[in-house]
Each structure stands twice: as structure tokens, then as C-alpha cells.
Short mmCIF file of all heavy atoms in Angstrom, two decimals:
data_model
loop_
_atom_site.label_atom_id
_atom_site.label_comp_id
_atom_site.label_asym_id
_atom_site.label_seq_id
_atom_site.Cartn_x
_atom_site.Cartn_y
_atom_site.Cartn_z
N MET L 1 0.82 -1.14 -0.01
CA MET L 1 0.04 0.02 0.00
C MET L 1 0.91 1.27 0.02
O MET L 1 1.90 1.31 0.69
CB MET L 1 -0.88 0.01 1.23
CG MET L 1 -1.73 1.24 1.24
SD MET L 1 -2.46 1.84 2.82
CE MET L 1 -3.49 0.64 3.42
N LEU L 2 0.59 2.23 -0.78
CA LEU L 2 1.24 3.51 -0.83
C LEU L 2 0.50 4.49 0.04
O LEU L 2 -0.69 4.46 0.18
CB LEU L 2 1.28 3.98 -2.25
CG LEU L 2 2.06 3.05 -3.22
CD1 LEU L 2 1.97 3.65 -4.66
CD2 LEU L 2 3.54 2.93 -2.86
N VAL L 3 1.30 5.46 0.63
CA VAL L 3 0.65 6.57 1.34
C VAL L 3 0.82 7.80 0.58
O VAL L 3 1.77 8.01 -0.12
CB VAL L 3 1.27 6.65 2.79
CG1 VAL L 3 1.06 5.36 3.55
CG2 VAL L 3 2.77 6.96 2.66
N ASP L 4 -0.16 8.73 0.79
CA ASP L 4 -0.13 9.97 0.11
C ASP L 4 0.80 11.06 0.80
O ASP L 4 1.28 11.89 0.15
CB ASP L 4 -1.53 10.62 0.00
CG ASP L 4 -2.48 9.77 -0.90
OD1 ASP L 4 -1.97 9.18 -1.85
OD2 ASP L 4 -3.70 9.67 -0.61
N GLU L 5 1.00 10.83 2.07
CA GLU L 5 1.71 11.85 2.83
C GLU L 5 2.26 11.26 4.05
O GLU L 5 1.72 10.38 4.72
CB GLU L 5 0.76 13.03 3.20
CG GLU L 5 1.43 14.08 3.98
CD GLU L 5 0.38 15.19 4.39
OE1 GLU L 5 -0.56 15.38 3.65
OE2 GLU L 5 0.61 15.78 5.39
N MET L 6 3.47 11.74 4.48
CA MET L 6 4.11 11.40 5.76
C MET L 6 4.54 12.68 6.37
O MET L 6 4.99 13.62 5.67
CB MET L 6 5.24 10.42 5.66
CG MET L 6 4.82 9.02 5.17
SD MET L 6 6.17 7.89 5.20
CE MET L 6 6.43 7.60 6.90
N SER L 7 4.40 12.73 7.67
CA SER L 7 4.84 13.99 8.34
C SER L 7 5.54 13.62 9.63
O SER L 7 5.31 12.55 10.20
CB SER L 7 3.67 14.91 8.65
OG SER L 7 2.67 14.31 9.45
N LEU L 8 6.42 14.49 10.14
CA LEU L 8 7.22 14.26 11.25
C LEU L 8 6.59 15.02 12.49
O LEU L 8 6.13 16.19 12.30
CB LEU L 8 8.66 14.75 11.12
CG LEU L 8 9.52 13.99 10.15
CD1 LEU L 8 10.88 14.65 9.96
CD2 LEU L 8 9.66 12.56 10.59
N HIS L 9 6.59 14.44 13.62
CA HIS L 9 6.03 15.05 14.87
C HIS L 9 6.93 14.64 16.00
O HIS L 9 7.52 13.47 15.98
CB HIS L 9 4.56 14.59 15.11
CG HIS L 9 3.67 14.89 14.02
ND1 HIS L 9 3.04 16.08 13.86
CD2 HIS L 9 3.25 14.13 12.96
CE1 HIS L 9 2.19 16.05 12.87
NE2 HIS L 9 2.36 14.92 12.25
N THR L 10 7.07 15.50 16.93
CA THR L 10 7.79 15.18 18.15
C THR L 10 6.88 14.50 19.18
O THR L 10 5.91 15.17 19.56
CB THR L 10 8.51 16.38 18.75
OG1 THR L 10 7.46 17.37 18.99
CG2 THR L 10 9.53 16.99 17.81
N GLU L 11 7.14 13.30 19.54
CA GLU L 11 6.31 12.59 20.51
C GLU L 11 7.10 12.07 21.70
O GLU L 11 6.48 11.36 22.56
CB GLU L 11 5.58 11.45 19.80
CG GLU L 11 4.60 11.94 18.76
CD GLU L 11 3.50 12.72 19.33
OE1 GLU L 11 3.00 12.40 20.52
OE2 GLU L 11 2.95 13.70 18.69
N ALA L 12 8.36 12.35 21.81
CA ALA L 12 9.13 11.92 22.97
C ALA L 12 8.62 12.51 24.27
O ALA L 12 8.23 13.70 24.22
CB ALA L 12 10.62 12.23 22.85
N CYS L 13 8.53 11.73 25.32
CA CYS L 13 8.03 12.21 26.59
C CYS L 13 8.68 13.54 27.04
O CYS L 13 7.96 14.49 27.47
CB CYS L 13 8.19 11.22 27.72
SG CYS L 13 7.13 9.76 27.37
N ALA L 14 9.97 13.59 27.03
CA ALA L 14 10.78 14.81 27.44
C ALA L 14 10.38 16.02 26.56
O ALA L 14 10.19 17.10 27.12
CB ALA L 14 12.26 14.50 27.40
N VAL L 15 10.23 15.81 25.29
CA VAL L 15 9.94 16.95 24.34
C VAL L 15 8.51 17.36 24.64
O VAL L 15 8.23 18.64 24.73
CB VAL L 15 10.20 16.57 22.95
CG1 VAL L 15 9.73 17.61 21.95
CG2 VAL L 15 11.61 16.26 22.72
N LYS L 16 7.56 16.50 24.78
CA LYS L 16 6.17 16.84 24.98
C LYS L 16 6.07 17.57 26.31
O LYS L 16 5.28 18.55 26.41
CB LYS L 16 5.32 15.56 24.97
CG LYS L 16 5.10 14.99 23.61
CD LYS L 16 4.36 13.73 23.58
CE LYS L 16 2.89 14.09 23.72
NZ LYS L 16 2.00 12.95 23.50
N THR L 17 6.74 17.18 27.34
CA THR L 17 6.64 17.88 28.62
C THR L 17 7.33 19.24 28.51
O THR L 17 6.71 20.18 29.00
CB THR L 17 7.42 17.00 29.69
OG1 THR L 17 6.87 15.71 29.80
CG2 THR L 17 7.42 17.69 31.02
N ALA L 18 8.38 19.37 27.83
CA ALA L 18 9.04 20.69 27.68
C ALA L 18 8.12 21.62 26.89
O ALA L 18 7.99 22.81 27.26
CB ALA L 18 10.37 20.54 26.91
N ILE L 19 7.45 21.12 25.87
CA ILE L 19 6.49 21.92 25.08
C ILE L 19 5.30 22.44 25.88
O ILE L 19 4.95 23.57 25.87
CB ILE L 19 6.05 21.16 23.82
CG1 ILE L 19 7.18 21.01 22.78
CG2 ILE L 19 4.80 21.81 23.14
CD1 ILE L 19 6.92 20.02 21.63
N ALA L 20 4.88 21.51 26.74
CA ALA L 20 3.72 21.82 27.63
C ALA L 20 4.13 22.95 28.64
O ALA L 20 3.39 23.87 28.95
CB ALA L 20 3.21 20.60 28.37
N LEU L 21 5.36 22.81 29.17
CA LEU L 21 5.86 23.76 30.08
C LEU L 21 6.11 25.16 29.43
O LEU L 21 5.85 26.17 30.03
CB LEU L 21 7.12 23.31 30.79
CG LEU L 21 6.95 22.16 31.74
CD1 LEU L 21 8.35 21.67 32.14
CD2 LEU L 21 6.14 22.62 32.99
N ALA L 22 6.65 25.08 28.23
CA ALA L 22 6.97 26.30 27.50
C ALA L 22 5.71 27.06 27.05
O ALA L 22 5.76 28.28 26.82
CB ALA L 22 7.96 26.13 26.36
N GLY L 23 4.69 26.34 26.83
CA GLY L 23 3.38 26.98 26.36
C GLY L 23 2.96 28.14 27.23
O GLY L 23 2.74 29.25 26.70
N PRO L 24 2.79 28.01 28.51
CA PRO L 24 2.39 29.15 29.37
C PRO L 24 3.55 30.06 29.74
O PRO L 24 3.44 30.89 30.63
CB PRO L 24 1.79 28.41 30.63
CG PRO L 24 2.48 27.14 30.66
CD PRO L 24 2.77 26.72 29.29
N GLY L 25 4.73 29.92 29.10
CA GLY L 25 5.74 30.82 29.32
C GLY L 25 6.89 30.44 30.31
O GLY L 25 7.66 31.15 30.68
N LEU L 26 6.80 29.16 30.77
CA LEU L 26 7.79 28.71 31.69
C LEU L 26 9.04 28.33 30.88
O LEU L 26 9.02 28.05 29.68
CB LEU L 26 7.29 27.50 32.39
CG LEU L 26 6.07 27.69 33.31
CD1 LEU L 26 5.59 26.33 33.87
CD2 LEU L 26 6.44 28.69 34.46
N SER L 27 10.20 28.34 31.61
CA SER L 27 11.49 27.98 30.91
C SER L 27 11.59 26.42 30.96
O SER L 27 11.28 25.79 31.99
CB SER L 27 12.63 28.60 31.77
OG SER L 27 13.84 28.18 31.25
N ALA L 28 12.08 25.86 29.81
CA ALA L 28 12.22 24.39 29.79
C ALA L 28 13.47 24.10 28.93
O ALA L 28 13.79 24.83 27.98
CB ALA L 28 11.02 23.78 29.15
N ASP L 29 14.22 23.03 29.39
CA ASP L 29 15.34 22.53 28.69
C ASP L 29 15.19 20.99 28.50
O ASP L 29 14.51 20.34 29.33
CB ASP L 29 16.61 22.79 29.42
CG ASP L 29 16.96 24.26 29.42
OD1 ASP L 29 16.37 25.02 30.27
OD2 ASP L 29 17.83 24.72 28.63
N VAL L 30 15.80 20.45 27.48
CA VAL L 30 15.80 19.06 27.22
C VAL L 30 17.24 18.56 27.28
O VAL L 30 18.12 19.23 26.77
CB VAL L 30 15.18 18.66 25.92
CG1 VAL L 30 15.35 17.19 25.59
CG2 VAL L 30 13.66 19.09 25.88
N ILE L 31 17.46 17.44 27.97
CA ILE L 31 18.75 16.81 28.01
C ILE L 31 18.71 15.42 27.35
O ILE L 31 17.73 14.68 27.61
CB ILE L 31 19.23 16.62 29.51
CG1 ILE L 31 19.26 18.03 30.15
CG2 ILE L 31 20.59 15.89 29.55
CD1 ILE L 31 19.47 17.85 31.67
N GLY L 32 19.71 15.13 26.51
CA GLY L 32 19.69 13.76 25.88
C GLY L 32 20.65 13.73 24.75
O GLY L 32 21.50 14.57 24.52
N ASN L 33 20.51 12.60 23.98
CA ASN L 33 21.33 12.35 22.78
C ASN L 33 20.47 12.18 21.57
O ASN L 33 19.42 11.54 21.66
CB ASN L 33 22.11 11.09 22.93
CG ASN L 33 23.25 11.25 23.92
OD1 ASN L 33 23.79 12.21 24.07
ND2 ASN L 33 23.53 10.07 24.67
N VAL L 34 20.88 12.65 20.46
CA VAL L 34 20.25 12.38 19.13
C VAL L 34 21.41 12.03 18.18
O VAL L 34 22.52 12.42 18.45
CB VAL L 34 19.43 13.55 18.56
CG1 VAL L 34 18.24 13.78 19.46
CG2 VAL L 34 20.24 14.81 18.40
N TRP L 35 21.07 11.35 17.16
CA TRP L 35 22.05 11.04 16.19
C TRP L 35 22.26 12.19 15.25
O TRP L 35 21.39 13.04 15.15
CB TRP L 35 21.60 9.81 15.45
CG TRP L 35 22.69 9.06 14.68
CD1 TRP L 35 24.02 8.95 15.04
CD2 TRP L 35 22.56 8.27 13.50
NE1 TRP L 35 24.67 8.11 14.19
CE2 TRP L 35 23.76 7.75 13.21
CE3 TRP L 35 21.49 8.01 12.69
CZ2 TRP L 35 23.99 6.87 12.05
CZ3 TRP L 35 21.72 7.18 11.58
CH2 TRP L 35 22.90 6.69 11.24
N ALA L 36 23.36 12.23 14.52
CA ALA L 36 23.62 13.32 13.58
C ALA L 36 22.97 12.93 12.30
O ALA L 36 23.57 12.63 11.30
CB ALA L 36 25.16 13.48 13.45
N ASP L 37 21.61 12.88 12.29
CA ASP L 37 20.76 12.48 11.17
C ASP L 37 19.65 13.46 10.98
O ASP L 37 19.43 14.37 11.75
CB ASP L 37 20.29 11.08 11.27
CG ASP L 37 19.32 10.79 12.51
OD1 ASP L 37 19.08 11.82 13.22
OD2 ASP L 37 18.81 9.72 12.61
N PRO L 38 18.82 13.34 9.92
CA PRO L 38 17.73 14.25 9.69
C PRO L 38 16.70 14.23 10.82
O PRO L 38 16.08 15.26 11.19
CB PRO L 38 17.13 13.79 8.36
CG PRO L 38 18.24 13.15 7.62
CD PRO L 38 19.08 12.45 8.73
N PHE L 39 16.54 13.08 11.47
CA PHE L 39 15.58 13.04 12.59
C PHE L 39 16.06 13.84 13.84
O PHE L 39 15.33 14.59 14.47
CB PHE L 39 15.24 11.61 13.06
CG PHE L 39 14.61 10.80 12.05
CD1 PHE L 39 15.13 9.57 11.58
CD2 PHE L 39 13.27 11.09 11.60
CE1 PHE L 39 14.43 8.83 10.59
CE2 PHE L 39 12.63 10.38 10.65
CZ PHE L 39 13.20 9.25 10.10
N GLY L 40 17.35 13.75 14.07
CA GLY L 40 17.94 14.54 15.16
C GLY L 40 17.89 16.04 14.82
O GLY L 40 17.58 16.90 15.66
N ALA L 41 18.19 16.37 13.57
CA ALA L 41 18.13 17.77 13.14
C ALA L 41 16.69 18.31 13.28
O ALA L 41 16.44 19.44 13.77
CB ALA L 41 18.58 17.92 11.73
N PHE L 42 15.71 17.51 12.95
CA PHE L 42 14.28 17.89 13.05
C PHE L 42 13.94 18.14 14.53
O PHE L 42 13.29 19.17 14.90
CB PHE L 42 13.33 16.83 12.51
CG PHE L 42 11.91 17.05 12.84
CD1 PHE L 42 11.15 18.00 12.10
CD2 PHE L 42 11.27 16.36 13.77
CE1 PHE L 42 9.84 18.24 12.45
CE2 PHE L 42 9.92 16.57 14.08
CZ PHE L 42 9.21 17.51 13.37
N LEU L 43 14.35 17.28 15.47
CA LEU L 43 14.10 17.40 16.80
C LEU L 43 14.73 18.74 17.32
O LEU L 43 14.06 19.53 18.00
CB LEU L 43 14.62 16.24 17.64
CG LEU L 43 14.44 16.31 19.13
CD1 LEU L 43 12.98 16.33 19.48
CD2 LEU L 43 15.15 15.10 19.83
N LEU L 44 15.97 19.00 17.05
CA LEU L 44 16.66 20.19 17.48
C LEU L 44 15.96 21.44 16.87
O LEU L 44 15.83 22.49 17.60
CB LEU L 44 18.12 20.16 17.17
CG LEU L 44 18.91 19.09 17.95
CD1 LEU L 44 20.34 19.04 17.38
CD2 LEU L 44 18.90 19.36 19.38
N GLN L 45 15.54 21.40 15.65
CA GLN L 45 14.87 22.48 15.04
C GLN L 45 13.53 22.81 15.74
O GLN L 45 13.17 23.97 16.02
CB GLN L 45 14.62 22.28 13.59
CG GLN L 45 13.87 23.37 12.89
CD GLN L 45 13.57 23.02 11.41
OE1 GLN L 45 14.10 22.09 10.84
NE2 GLN L 45 12.72 23.81 10.81
N THR L 46 12.82 21.76 16.09
CA THR L 46 11.55 21.90 16.75
C THR L 46 11.79 22.57 18.13
O THR L 46 10.96 23.51 18.51
CB THR L 46 10.83 20.59 16.87
OG1 THR L 46 10.65 19.98 15.61
CG2 THR L 46 9.49 20.69 17.65
N LEU L 47 12.73 22.07 18.86
CA LEU L 47 13.00 22.70 20.12
C LEU L 47 13.39 24.18 19.96
O LEU L 47 12.91 25.04 20.79
CB LEU L 47 14.20 21.95 20.83
CG LEU L 47 13.87 20.54 21.24
CD1 LEU L 47 15.14 19.83 21.76
CD2 LEU L 47 12.72 20.42 22.26
N ASP L 48 14.18 24.55 19.10
CA ASP L 48 14.59 25.86 18.81
C ASP L 48 13.38 26.80 18.49
O ASP L 48 13.16 27.89 18.95
CB ASP L 48 15.58 25.98 17.61
CG ASP L 48 16.12 27.35 17.49
OD1 ASP L 48 16.61 28.02 18.43
OD2 ASP L 48 16.02 27.85 16.30
N GLU L 49 12.50 26.28 17.58
CA GLU L 49 11.28 26.98 17.24
C GLU L 49 10.35 27.33 18.39
O GLU L 49 9.66 28.29 18.37
CB GLU L 49 10.50 26.23 16.12
CG GLU L 49 11.24 26.22 14.79
CD GLU L 49 10.53 25.25 13.79
OE1 GLU L 49 9.59 24.54 14.16
OE2 GLU L 49 11.00 25.21 12.69
N ARG L 50 10.42 26.44 19.37
CA ARG L 50 9.53 26.62 20.57
C ARG L 50 10.26 27.22 21.74
O ARG L 50 9.83 27.20 22.86
CB ARG L 50 8.96 25.26 20.89
CG ARG L 50 7.94 24.75 19.77
CD ARG L 50 7.42 23.44 20.17
NE ARG L 50 6.55 22.90 19.12
CZ ARG L 50 5.24 22.95 19.14
NH1 ARG L 50 4.58 23.49 20.07
NH2 ARG L 50 4.56 22.42 18.15
N SER L 51 11.51 27.69 21.42
CA SER L 51 12.27 28.38 22.51
C SER L 51 12.53 27.43 23.66
O SER L 51 12.56 27.88 24.82
CB SER L 51 11.62 29.61 22.94
OG SER L 51 11.53 30.58 21.86
N ILE L 52 12.78 26.21 23.37
CA ILE L 52 13.18 25.16 24.42
C ILE L 52 14.66 24.99 24.34
O ILE L 52 15.22 24.72 23.31
CB ILE L 52 12.41 23.95 24.20
CG1 ILE L 52 10.89 24.13 24.37
CG2 ILE L 52 12.88 22.86 25.14
CD1 ILE L 52 10.01 23.02 23.92
N GLY L 53 15.35 25.09 25.47
CA GLY L 53 16.78 24.91 25.54
C GLY L 53 17.22 23.55 25.14
O GLY L 53 16.60 22.46 25.51
N ALA L 54 18.23 23.47 24.27
CA ALA L 54 18.79 22.20 23.76
C ALA L 54 20.24 22.13 23.92
O ALA L 54 20.91 21.34 23.23
CB ALA L 54 18.33 21.92 22.38
N GLN L 55 20.89 22.96 24.76
CA GLN L 55 22.30 23.05 24.88
C GLN L 55 22.88 21.75 25.41
O GLN L 55 24.02 21.41 25.14
CB GLN L 55 22.68 24.18 25.85
CG GLN L 55 22.42 25.59 25.32
CD GLN L 55 20.93 25.91 25.47
OE1 GLN L 55 20.21 25.28 26.25
NE2 GLN L 55 20.49 26.98 24.76
N ARG L 56 22.07 20.93 26.10
CA ARG L 56 22.56 19.69 26.66
C ARG L 56 22.14 18.47 25.85
O ARG L 56 22.14 17.35 26.31
CB ARG L 56 22.12 19.51 28.07
CG ARG L 56 22.69 20.51 29.00
CD ARG L 56 22.27 20.39 30.40
NE ARG L 56 22.79 21.47 31.23
CZ ARG L 56 22.31 21.70 32.44
NH1 ARG L 56 21.43 20.94 32.97
NH2 ARG L 56 22.77 22.74 33.11
N VAL L 57 21.69 18.69 24.63
CA VAL L 57 21.34 17.62 23.69
C VAL L 57 22.57 17.48 22.76
O VAL L 57 22.96 18.37 22.08
CB VAL L 57 20.13 17.92 22.89
CG1 VAL L 57 19.88 16.82 21.86
CG2 VAL L 57 18.90 18.08 23.73
N SER L 58 23.19 16.31 22.82
CA SER L 58 24.36 16.08 22.03
C SER L 58 23.99 15.28 20.72
O SER L 58 23.06 14.52 20.76
CB SER L 58 25.49 15.33 22.85
OG SER L 58 24.96 14.02 23.18
N ARG L 59 24.77 15.63 19.74
CA ARG L 59 24.56 14.92 18.42
C ARG L 59 25.64 13.91 18.32
O ARG L 59 26.82 14.20 18.09
CB ARG L 59 24.57 15.91 17.28
CG ARG L 59 23.41 16.86 17.35
CD ARG L 59 23.24 17.65 16.12
NE ARG L 59 22.86 16.72 15.03
CZ ARG L 59 22.33 17.15 13.87
NH1 ARG L 59 22.24 18.44 13.67
NH2 ARG L 59 21.96 16.30 13.01
N ASP L 60 25.29 12.70 18.58
CA ASP L 60 26.29 11.64 18.64
C ASP L 60 26.20 10.70 17.34
O ASP L 60 25.10 10.16 17.09
CB ASP L 60 25.94 10.73 19.86
CG ASP L 60 27.03 9.75 20.18
OD1 ASP L 60 27.78 9.29 19.27
OD2 ASP L 60 27.08 9.32 21.35
N PRO L 61 27.35 10.50 16.66
CA PRO L 61 27.29 9.74 15.46
C PRO L 61 27.08 8.19 15.75
O PRO L 61 26.84 7.45 14.88
CB PRO L 61 28.64 9.97 14.83
CG PRO L 61 29.52 10.46 15.95
CD PRO L 61 28.59 11.14 16.89
N ASP L 62 27.23 7.79 17.05
CA ASP L 62 27.12 6.42 17.41
C ASP L 62 25.91 6.00 18.02
O ASP L 62 25.65 4.88 18.42
CB ASP L 62 28.33 6.06 18.33
CG ASP L 62 29.69 6.23 17.68
OD1 ASP L 62 29.79 6.02 16.47
OD2 ASP L 62 30.59 6.72 18.29
N VAL L 63 24.92 6.97 18.23
CA VAL L 63 23.69 6.70 18.92
C VAL L 63 22.58 7.11 17.91
O VAL L 63 22.54 8.16 17.39
CB VAL L 63 23.51 7.53 20.18
CG1 VAL L 63 22.11 7.31 20.80
CG2 VAL L 63 24.62 7.18 21.13
N GLY L 64 21.68 6.14 17.59
CA GLY L 64 20.62 6.42 16.61
C GLY L 64 19.46 7.14 17.25
O GLY L 64 19.08 6.87 18.41
N THR L 65 18.92 8.14 16.51
CA THR L 65 17.75 8.84 16.96
C THR L 65 16.52 7.97 16.80
O THR L 65 16.32 7.33 15.82
CB THR L 65 17.47 10.14 16.11
OG1 THR L 65 18.67 10.94 16.12
CG2 THR L 65 16.28 10.89 16.57
N SER L 66 15.81 7.78 17.88
CA SER L 66 14.58 6.85 17.83
C SER L 66 13.53 7.48 16.94
O SER L 66 13.38 8.66 16.89
CB SER L 66 14.09 6.61 19.19
OG SER L 66 13.60 7.76 19.77
N ALA L 67 12.82 6.63 16.20
CA ALA L 67 11.78 7.03 15.33
C ALA L 67 10.69 5.91 15.26
O ALA L 67 11.01 4.77 15.39
CB ALA L 67 12.28 7.43 13.94
N THR L 68 9.45 6.29 15.20
CA THR L 68 8.34 5.32 15.12
C THR L 68 7.41 5.73 14.01
O THR L 68 7.15 6.88 13.76
CB THR L 68 7.55 5.34 16.41
OG1 THR L 68 8.42 5.03 17.52
CG2 THR L 68 6.42 4.30 16.36
N THR L 69 7.02 4.76 13.21
CA THR L 69 6.09 5.00 12.13
C THR L 69 4.77 4.42 12.65
O THR L 69 4.63 3.29 13.03
CB THR L 69 6.47 4.33 10.81
OG1 THR L 69 7.79 4.78 10.46
CG2 THR L 69 5.53 4.54 9.71
N VAL L 70 3.68 5.29 12.51
CA VAL L 70 2.34 4.88 12.98
C VAL L 70 1.41 5.06 11.82
O VAL L 70 1.40 6.03 11.14
CB VAL L 70 1.84 5.67 14.20
CG1 VAL L 70 0.54 5.29 14.58
CG2 VAL L 70 2.90 5.44 15.32
#
């Protein structure tokens, strides 16, 4: 079966919590690892767009960014 469209969304617990906290104007940061891949870049871009700190998110070439297709 072919699909007409696919889109990326951030669903990680830490990211969802940070987004919820940043919504009413609270300060939030995320700590963790992402791989140096397009998924990791998307996650960091999303955090930046929502003014969520990502200084402690490292881009590791040896750790894969988790992804789920639903």
C-alpha cells in the first residue's frame, strides 16, 4: 500500500513535557542524545522554534535517533 503523505512530529516524553511547560511561558530545557541524522536535526529545530533549551542535547554519530512509524 502506498501513502499519500508522511509528516514528522515530536512525541518523545521529554519533548512533549518541555513543550507543555513552555506553552504558558515557563522555561524548559531538554537533556539527551540524538544522532547526527535528519531526525535529530528535526528534533533540534523543533526545540529551537519553541524556545526550548537544547544546549545539553548532544549529536552523537554512534547513537541512533529513535523514530516510530504509525
Side-chain angles (χ1 to χ4, degrees):
M1 177 200 302
L2 299 176
V3 295
D4 294 328
E5 178 182 332
M6 290 186 75
S7 58
L8 294 175
H9 301 274
T10 54
E11 293 296 327
C13 293
V15 174
K16 288 177 78 170
T17 301
I19 289 170
L21 290 170
L26 298 174
S27 175
D29 291 80
V30 173
I31 300 171
N33 289 326
V34 295
W35 199 30
D37 65 356
F39 293 121
F42 170 76
L43 178 63
L44 293 173
Q45 177 184 347
T46 301
L47 294 173
D48 184 56
E49 289 170 356
R50 296 179 183 258
S51 300
I52 296 170
Q55 294 79 13
R56 295 182 187 167
V57 176
S58 62
R59 294 191 71 165
D60 189 335
D62 298 323
V63 177
T65 303
S66 64
T68 303
T69 303
V70 178

